[in-house]
Amino acid sequence: MMMQKRRWKNVGLMRKMLSCAICTIAMMALLSVHLHGAPPYSKLPDPYRLPHPCSDRNPNCTKLWKPPPNRNYMPCTQPSPNYTSPSESRGYLLAHTNGGLNQMRAGICDMVAIAHIINATLVVPKLDKKSYWQDSSNFSDVFDEDHFINALANDVKVIKKLPNEIGSSMKAVKYFKSWSGMDYYQEEIASMWADYKVIRAAKTDSRLANNNLPPDIQKLRCRACYEALRFAPQIEAMGKLLVDRMRSNGPYISLHLRYEKDMLAFSGCTHDLSPAEANELKTIRDANDNWKVKDIDPMEQRSKGFCPLTPKEAAIFLCALGYPSNTPIYIAAGEIYGGDSHMGVLQSRYPMLMHKENLASSEELEPFTNHLSQLAALDYIVSVESDVFIPTYSGNMARAVEGHRRFLGHRRTISPDRKALVRLFDKIEQGKLKEGKYLSDHVIESHRNRYVFLSIIITYNTQKPHQ
């Protein structure tokens, strides 16, 4: 009888444990549905659950991720005591940006400074919808419009649209001269207020000089770029999610792999491409009226370091620097030209290649699909937050991200010496040099001073394609 009672007691205990387990599983399922909304991420492939890149406790490995010293350079955005807030506005400045995300971003910062110089009310800039990217996004789709207006309240008055009473006869369209200084805007442009109430800047890229400007104007550009131009909330949230998923396996590299069709067509770089691919790129370049240089010698371009690294060259470079094969790498780029046919070597050496499409579900990315500026903004966020940023070409995004990373605390950025690397890559192809210790020592030594230390002000370049 005692044995039977003990048996029933054990059965009851097991039933309670099973009930608790079932309730726990059900609660977790409900929480998962409540928190994610979209199909749960756990259903997606989980390719980055591999050992930490530095799990072998190799002291040399930690050096690969260590941020560089700041050399006493600090962000400097606070205006001086002599800085004056805007007085009564003399008119309105309209700005139609041009180029890709980062070219538009730099142009908007210039327009903020110009509006302050000529004492204008800035109307929220219009984004480029006619360029190569054909993106229909408005300012508020990409940037936090209200934050932009409020953050600049002490610098420039910003409004969302022109007052209805402003007539067309009161407007003037003006192509501001590139790289212009204070005198040009204070004299030639400001004099237009005598005849017009609205000045529309037809283009915004590189309209303001980089140097020889008052420190307070430079600081204003920095405030506009790093404090006022915040991405729209939905982009910020998605960008943070991508960063968190990359970080789930420790430090990661953001590789800005500029190997898209438009980049190769613009630069005339055809190394490792087939004759058919080279001809396709030339056709694209010849058809684009905005790209003035048509006849380009691809071998000369490459020998001078004017070409982006190919995916294969990027793989050799990463190996020579010492990054192990289990390093998580985020590919910050659009569609890679030739797809898998050109990504094979990089993929085989670094199988943990990640990008937006395999970090997030199609449902999560759906709001940004067909909006290339918004997708580029996601790449920007993941790149700025990365432990190491490596651009394979010094274009608009590379400069913007490098500047932002320095502003946030001198995060590690490695800028490849493409001209020197090409000579090494050619020797490898010719069988005159093998990968190994000699190549690694040479690459590490030649890049010792290329862990970028430059001024915080972004360097703009009008001759780069849209990025």
Side-chain angles (χ1 to χ4, degrees), residues 252-280:
Y252 70 92
I253 293 173
S254 175
L255 182 65
H256 183 40
L257 193 60
R258 288 297 278 129
Y259 209 72
E260 302 98 336
K261 184 184 289 186
D262 65 316
M263 179 69 244
L264 297 176
F266 170 82
S267 62
C269 297
T270 60
H271 183 71
D272 271 353
L273 299 182
S274 68
E277 289 172 326
N279 287 333
E280 180 187 21

Side-chain angles (χ1 to χ4, degrees), residues 52-54 56-67 412:
H52 188 285
C54 289
D56 58 2
R57 297 186 180 180
N58 181 350
N60 292 326
C61 187
T62 58
K63 291 180 182 178
L64 297 172
W65 305 98
K66 185 179 179 181
R412 192 177 187 88

Side-chain angles (χ1 to χ4, degrees), residues 424 427 433-444:
L424 296 175
K427 286 182 179 179
L433 178 65
K434 291 184 178 180
E435 292 187 62
K437 188 176 185 306
Y438 174 81
L439 175 66
S440 181
D441 289 346
H442 187 88
V443 169
I444 291 172

Side-chain angles (χ1 to χ4, degrees), residues 16 126 133 159 208-209 220 272 281 325 341 360 366 378 398 452:
K16 287 181 180 179
K126 303 287 185 183
W133 284 12
I159 60 175
L208 186 61
L220 174 54
D272 271 353
L281 296 176
S325 61
S341 65
E366 194 277 331
L378 296 177
V452 185

Side-chain angles (χ1 to χ4, degrees), residues 88 115 124 150 180 193 196-197 220 224 231 236 257 293 342 431:
E88 186 176 351
V124 168
N150 295 331
S180 296
W193 294 133
Y196 302 100
K197 275 288 182 183
L220 174 54
F231 289 119
E236 291 280 352
L257 193 60
V293 181
H342 294 301

Side-chain angles (χ1 to χ4, degrees), residues 110-121:
D110 280 0
M111 291 301 116
V112 168
I114 290 168
H116 182 88
I117 293 168
I118 63 175
N119 200 12
T121 295

Side-chain angles (χ1 to χ4, degrees), residues 428-463:
I428 292 172
E429 286 191 5
Q430 295 161 8
K432 298 178 181 179
L433 178 65
K434 291 184 178 180
E435 292 187 62
K437 188 176 185 306
Y438 174 81
L439 175 66
S440 181
D441 289 346
H442 187 88
V443 169
I444 291 172
E445 182 59 34
S446 64
H447 285 78
R448 195 172 300 280
N449 294 322
R450 294 186 71 84
Y451 299 98
V452 185
F453 300 104
L454 298 174
S455 62
I456 289 173
I457 300 299
I458 295 174
T459 301
Y460 308 112
N461 195 321
T462 58
Q463 293 302 307

Side-chain angles (χ1 to χ4, degrees), residues 324-457:
S325 61
N326 62 347
T327 300
I329 299 176
Y330 180 84
I331 301 297
E335 184 178 353
I336 301 300
Y337 187 55
D340 293 342
S341 65
H342 294 301
M343 289 290 287
V345 173
L346 181 59
Q347 184 73 61
S348 64
R349 294 196 185 196
Y350 291 94
M352 292 178 66
L353 288 186
M354 312 302 293
H355 44 79
K356 296 179 289 291
E357 291 73 19
N358 63 3
L359 279 174
S361 68
S362 56
E363 289 84 358
E364 288 171 317
L365 290 176
E366 194 277 331
F368 314 103
T369 305
N370 299 322
H371 297 288
L372 295 182
S373 290
Q374 297 181 47
L375 292 173
L378 296 177
D379 283 345
Y380 185 97
I381 292 171
V382 181
S383 296
V384 166
E385 293 298 327
S386 65
D387 297 273
V388 177
F389 176 62
I390 302 178
T392 61
Y393 187 76
S394 55
N396 291 318
M397 176 167 170
R399 290 188 176 94
V401 171
E402 287 171 12
H404 206 151
R405 287 167 67 81
R406 285 191 293 277
F407 183 83
L408 293 173
H410 299 271
R411 299 172 181 179
R412 192 177 187 88
T413 297
I414 305 173
S415 180
D417 184 346
R418 297 188 302 277
K419 186 176 180 179
L421 288 171
V422 161
R423 293 195 289 270
L424 296 175
F425 296 147
D426 286 345
K427 286 182 179 179
I428 292 172
E429 286 191 5
Q430 295 161 8
K432 298 178 181 179
L433 178 65
K434 291 184 178 180
E435 292 187 62
K437 188 176 185 306
Y438 174 81
L439 175 66
S440 181
D441 289 346
H442 187 88
V443 169
I444 291 172
E445 182 59 34
S446 64
H447 285 78
R448 195 172 300 280
N449 294 322
R450 294 186 71 84
Y451 299 98
V452 185
F453 300 104
L454 298 174
S455 62
I456 289 173
I457 300 299

